[in-house]
Amino acid sequence: MAAATLLSGDVVGPAAGRTPSIGDVSVTLARCAGVKGRSARSGELFRAVSSAGNRHPYEVYVSARGVDGLPDGVWHYDPRAHAVTLIGPPAVGEVTALVISGVPWRSCWRYSERGYRHVGWDCGTVTAHAVLAAAAQGLPARVETAFDDAAVRALIGARDGAEFPMVLVPLGDGTPAVAAGGEAAQGDLGAGAEEFPLVVAVHEAGNLRGAAEVAQWRRTRAGRDPALRPTAQVPAEAGDEPLELLVSRRRSTRRLDDAAVIPPAAARWIVDVASAAMPGDAGTLHEVRVVAHGVEGLDPGVYRPTADGLERTASTSREATFRTCLDQAPGRDAAAVLFLTPAPGPAVASDPRTYRAALLAAGYALGRIYLAVTALRLDCSGLTFVDSELPATIGVQDALAVIAVGVRR
Ligand SMILES: Cc1cc2nc3c(=O)[nH]c(=O)nc-3n(C[C@H](O)[C@H](O)[C@H](O)COP(=O)(O)O)c2cc1C
């Protein structure tokens, strides 16, 4: 199936999907966390996913249960070698699950406590790619953001304060195999791992302890999301490339052409792809506001999606989005700047677990936007932003993440 169709539709594979084989697991890992090349000039690695500041503050584990060709057990993924290493005994549970963990110091040494957002974004992006890769292989994947944190930390041998389990992606229906069956080997996170007490405190404020707290949190989210809403038709410009090609062509572009104009159908499709909620327990946690600077047929301004199209909510300027994106040129030169904002209501700001899930949801949307933009043969870059500029620029108090879309200069 063309990746554009997958991005448009219900990404959850068939309920009675087959159980995964080692080949399915290998392909899923490559598409979500793999290394796809290396710069001949700098030696820098190109990864399957974008990453805020290119820090890639995550690790991926497979808790295998009945995978054809891979013994049951907990396996750690090494992206450089594209290999897995057994780190723990088989877990209790029914279905194989990916466990995506965050490693905050990889972002925070550079971005300080704000790096916690990066951890959420990047884990969410890896999740989006994993769900799409699984769906492309006919595997039913979903996203579980609620789990017993201490239990999953034990499963993957994560060191307290240095590595947090962030999200589970079970590759089948049933209870994910994430109850540790014994002790796991502790990984080596590399030299220089620093602790960031504020980040640990913010993260741990959202920890869930035991099945009752997990069930209670899920109840607060139940009904907040519907099945993915039907999206606009895939525009012809999106082509019919398989996911593999989109992942390999995906990249960030910092030089956008401020004279470029993109078609309205492309803009609308990107907004729809960005609006999809993670399929799983979290419900809808984000909304999309789009600033159109160069969308054919649209007056420049701020828009929000409605059932019929895009509705203009305010005026703004290229100068304002430049300032809001920390004086970075793509924020000014983009044809469209997408702001992923928290869903209305107090939950994202007041409940730490919901805030964590909202960062994941924003990263999930970013991952999908990058792939949709790649399918359309347009260009984009995630951008950090200045929170205090948001009310004046787009008329909202908070944003979760921002991305500029346009045509490469
Ligand atoms: C959430 C997010 C925020 C980003 N913020 C910026 C930014 O502020 N400035 C920038 O030049 N690039 C930014 N990027 C782009 C990354 O630097 C880029 O993804 C990374 O270097 C990897 O390159 P690639 O996407 O081409 O694989 C961001 C990417 C993401 C996903």
Side-chain angles (χ1 to χ4, degrees):
M1 186 190 289
T5 311
L6 271 181
L7 283 164
S8 252
D10 183 349
V11 289
V12 187
R18 58 202 177 78
T19 51
S21 66
I22 190 170
D24 297 320
V25 170
S26 165
V27 165
T28 303
L29 290 170
R31 304 275 183 274
C32 77
V35 170
K36 59 187 191 186
R38 180 187 286 273
S39 158
R41 200 160 37 91
S42 64
E44 189 188 348
L45 299 177
F46 300 128
R47 304 288 300 263
V49 289
S50 59
S51 166
N54 209 12
R55 311 315 318 157
H56 299 276
Y58 54 83
E59 295 289 327
V60 181
Y61 301 82
V62 183
S63 180
R65 162 69 62 196
V67 175
D68 186 13
L70 183 68
D72 285 355
V74 182
W75 300 83
H76 171 254
Y77 179 56
D78 174 352
R80 283 190 180 81
H82 186 59
V84 288
T85 307
L86 189 63
I87 61 147
V92 180
E94 292 164 357
V95 295
T96 297
L98 303 185
V99 180
I100 300 165
S101 70
V103 183
W105 75 266
R106 285 189 196 146
S107 294
C108 294
W109 69 265
R110 183 161 173 186
Y111 298 103
S112 188
E113 279 74 11
R114 197 178 167 96
Y116 183 63
R117 299 190 194 188
H118 297 208
V119 172
W121 296 333
D122 286 1
C123 290
T125 301
V126 172
T127 300
H129 279 226
V131 167
L132 287 164
Q137 297 169 93
L139 293 170
R142 63 183 192 281
V143 183
E144 292 200 359
T145 61
F147 47 81
D148 181 330
D149 291 84
V152 180
R153 204 173 63 223
L155 176 83
I156 60 171
R159 261 193 295 126
D160 230 357
E163 183 182 9
F164 313 131
M166 290 290 289
V167 60
L168 310 178
V169 182
L171 299 177
D173 294 323
T175 314
V178 294
E183 211 172 315
Q186 268 195 359
D188 176 5
L189 295 175
E194 291 169 52
E195 296 243 335
F196 291 84
L198 250 181
V199 167
V200 174
V202 165
H203 184 81
E204 290 186 350
N207 279 0
L208 300 172
R209 294 159 201 83
E213 285 193 19
V214 170
Q216 168 58 25
W217 186 84
R218 285 198 177 133
R219 272 196 297 277
T220 68
R221 300 301 312 154
R224 305 285 171 125
D225 180 293
L228 297 177
R229 64 198 179 84
T231 50
Q233 247 186 331
V234 183
E237 296 89 333
D240 60 359
E241 288 171 288
L243 184 66
E244 178 186 357
L245 280 187
L246 288 194
V247 171
S248 89
R249 289 203 299 105
R250 184 214 60 76
R251 62 175 177 173
S252 300
T253 309
R254 295 189 177 85
R255 291 161 62 87
L256 296 175
D257 178 359
D258 65 356
V261 171
I262 65 174
R268 176 67 218 212
W269 185 59
I270 294 168
V271 170
D272 277 352
V273 167
S275 301
M278 298 185 288
D281 62 7
T284 300
L285 289 160
H286 75 287
E287 292 189 338
V288 182
R289 288 280 185 285
V290 55
V291 172
H293 290 313
V295 178
E296 206 183 307
L298 290 187
D299 291 335
V302 186
Y303 288 80
R304 70 179 186 89
T306 66
D308 309 323
L310 295 170
E311 177 189 66
R312 194 165 185 277
T313 58
S315 60
T316 189
S317 66
R318 288 188 185 269
E319 196 44 47
T321 49
F322 175 67
R323 265 199 320 276
T324 307
C325 297
L326 207 64
D327 292 357
Q328 298 186 87
R332 178 190 58 220
D333 300 338
V337 185
L338 275 75
F339 290 80
L340 307 172
T341 60
V348 173
S350 63
D351 171 47
R353 186 58 166 232
T354 306
Y355 173 63
R356 195 196 291 183
L359 291 176
L360 289 165
Y364 183 87
L366 287 175
R368 292 167 53 84
I369 295 167
Y370 262 92
L371 293 171
V373 163
T374 307
L376 290 163
R377 298 198 173 260
L378 297 172
D379 299 287
C380 66
S381 180
L383 290 175
T384 201
F385 58 95
V386 182
D387 299 75
S388 56
E389 294 284 340
L390 293 165
T393 302
I394 59 163
V396 302
Q397 292 300 316
D398 296 306
L400 295 163
V402 179
I403 182 165
V405 176
V407 176
R408 191 158 186 253
R409 180 150 49 90

